Amino acid sequence: MKGPSKSDMSITPNRRTGVTARDGRLALVMALAALSLAALLACGGPAKDDVVTDFPMTMYTGIEAVGGEEIHFSDLRGQPVALNFWAGLCPPCRAEMPDMQEFYEEYRQDILLVGVDVGPYAGLGNSDDARALLESLKITYPTGATSHETVMQDYKVLSMPTTVFITPSGAVFRKWSGPLNKEKLAEITREMLVAEPG
């Protein structure tokens, strides 16, 4: 007696689960598509639903670039900003900072780079750890701390570091989770400036 063909088997439900092989493949494809979309959004995909919220900052470095030691993020509106969330005891943050510094030195006329120390809220150090890291790497771009405890929630920071690119009109252009190098920073900045010139 001839057994079922391969094509018959793909549509014959499993006696125990009632699921066909075709159903299983479809579920797998859908799961992979969902994971791919999540990865795209986490690593630089459009972030249209994200909102920019205001928060206070006490600056560590770059005071002259932002106009004072005590500022609000809203004071910087009207110019493109790369808002970088980092922490003093975060190894990937340390790894990307030299590139951040090089990017700042080369592109400071085009975009304002601002680092926000969220170490106390991420469990990755305090202000002393942050200042020690900045000093050891000779960081001069604007960095500071905030007392706004929900800033990571507000900006949907799920991993460290995270960089949010914000247009002059105050909209989130793109969010990048994980370390960035100078080339990628420049590439996203150019894309943002073409989309919405400052």
Side-chain angles (χ1 to χ4, degrees):
M1 185 168 126
K2 191 176 170 189
S5 70
K6 239 182 192 177
S7 60
D8 292 336
M9 291 174 68
S10 70
I11 57 172
T12 305
N14 179 297
R15 286 193 181 114
R16 197 165 43 86
T17 64
V19 176
T20 67
R22 186 180 293 165
D23 292 338
R25 285 195 301 273
L26 180 60
L28 178 62
V29 168
M30 290 176 67
L32 289 172
L35 285 172
S36 298
L37 178 61
L40 172 68
L41 293 174
C43 292
K48 305 294 182 200
D49 295 333
D50 291 343
V51 294
V52 175
T53 59
D54 196 17
F55 58 91
M57 283 186 74
T58 301
M59 303 308 295
Y60 298 148
T61 58
I63 293 168
E64 60 291 331
V66 295
E69 189 175 347
E70 303 286 334
I71 67 162
H72 277 80
F73 185 64
S74 58
D75 299 337
L76 307 177
R77 190 159 179 175
Q79 59 190 314
V81 176
L83 186 62
N84 176 252
F85 293 92
W86 63 282
L89 298 181
C90 162
C93 303
R94 170 184 281 274
E96 81 170 353
M97 278 187 164
D99 273 270
M100 290 276 177
Q101 180 64 36
E102 284 184 32
F103 171 77
Y104 173 69
E105 289 168 6
E106 191 170 332
Y107 290 90
R108 71 172 85 183
Q109 302 305 316
D110 301 314
I111 188 169
L112 180 62
L113 172 62
V114 179
V116 185
D117 170 24
V118 290
Y121 311 121
L124 290 168
N126 56 33
S127 61
D128 290 337
D129 298 313
R131 288 179 186 275
L133 176 59
L134 296 170
E135 189 175 336
S136 71
L137 296 177
K138 298 179 173 44
I139 299 301
T140 63
Y141 61 84
T143 64
T146 182
S147 58
H148 194 70
E149 294 180 3
T150 63
V151 72
M152 290 181 71
Q153 273 178 259
D154 295 345
Y155 283 85
K156 300 176 184 164
V157 176
L158 303 176
S159 64
M160 298 291 290
T162 290
T163 305
V164 182
F165 293 84
I166 300 167
T167 67
S169 65
V172 172
F173 176 75
R174 188 165 298 170
K175 182 163 38 172
W176 187 278
S177 297
L180 278 166
N181 60 30
K182 186 177 94 168
E183 291 72 25
K184 195 65 182 178
L185 280 160
E187 178 187 319
I188 297 172
T189 295
R190 285 191 294 268
E191 289 173 9
M192 180 168 68
L193 294 177
V194 167
E196 187 175 337

